[in-house]
Amino acid sequence: MPRAPVIAYIGLGSNLQDPVRQLRIARQAIIALSGVREIAFSSLYRSAPMGPAEQPDYINAVMAAETSLSPHGLLKSLQAIERSHGRVRTGLRWGPRTLDLDILLYGEERIADEQLTVPHAGMTEREFVLYPLAEIAPSGLEIPGRGILNDLVAACPRRGLEVIDHV
Ligand code: ROI
């Protein structure tokens, strides 16, 4: 049975192998998925690494997409893009990565299983997620179980986060 389309928000992040290029290529790959239609794409943001400090700065962005894929179907597609774009990860927890694609929100759903946690676990404390999200989402958006986007942004310091480009 085809599903009614929902709005999903996808977080993109990279700090290796030309991160701006990684995000541009990833964006095109997501747009090319069948069952996914881009609605909005934030500016690109540069932020200091959360986690071990001895790694390059990150470039992050958020996409709003309408999708008819299931949450796990979308996850599989995003993981395939991560792999096909040569994702490199050191074994280090919170270490550098070529490409990270996270489902931040999937409509109003709350999901918690072995594969997927939605809303994304760390998103409400991460400036590099909340600010790009707020750029493209309605300010009154409810993050299920966490509160209203505007309030979460107001409570989150920018920590040097800067916009680097408009795409
Ligand atoms: N830090 C920043 N600034 N941006 C990220 O996307 C990011 N992703 C991660 C960890 C390693 C937690 N740190 C990050 O996965």
Side-chain angles (χ1 to χ4, degrees):
M1 258 263 289
R3 304 185 155 229
V6 302
I7 306 291
Y9 291 91
I10 299 165
L12 301 86
S14 169
N15 75 339
L16 291 177
Q17 296 175 330
D18 193 350
V20 169
R21 182 163 168 274
Q22 294 297 338
L23 262 56
R24 292 214 167 105
I25 293 172
R27 178 188 184 187
Q28 295 311 320
I30 297 169
I31 289 171
L33 294 172
S34 69
V36 178
R37 186 171 70 83
E38 181 184 85
I39 291 178
F41 196 86
S42 75
S43 304
L44 302 183
Y45 290 76
R46 180 187 294 112
S47 61
M50 177 190 169
E54 356 25 271
Q55 58 177 318
D57 283 350
Y58 278 80
I59 304 298
N60 289 102
V62 172
M63 179 192 288
E66 186 181 72
T67 185
S68 55
L69 299 178
S70 68
H72 291 84
L74 179 60
L75 176 69
K76 283 207 180 77
S77 298
L78 297 177
Q79 288 172 339
I81 293 171
E82 286 177 340
R83 280 194 304 275
S84 71
H85 291 260
R87 174 171 171 141
V88 172
R89 281 183 95 155
T90 60
L92 193 67
R93 180 170 186 254
W94 284 4
R97 60 270 323 275
T98 317
L99 182 62
D100 229 352
L101 300 175
D102 292 323
I103 301 176
L104 304 171
L105 299 170
Y106 183 92
E108 294 170 4
E109 287 192 33
R110 296 173 76 168
I111 303 160
D113 61 31
E114 274 124 63
Q115 284 88 45
L116 194 55
T117 304
V118 175
H120 186 272
M123 68 173 283
T124 50
E125 293 86 46
R126 296 182 175 184
E127 72 285 0
F128 54 86
V129 175
L130 289 177
Y131 285 86
L133 177 61
E135 191 189 320
I136 59 169
S139 58
L141 183 75
E142 193 188 332
I143 315 297
R146 313 283 187 81
I148 302 299
L149 178 58
N150 233 4
D151 299 337
L152 295 166
V153 172
C156 183
R158 278 188 82 101
R159 297 186 193 93
L161 180 77
E162 50 180 5
V163 173
I164 61 156
D165 197 9
H166 289 273
V167 284

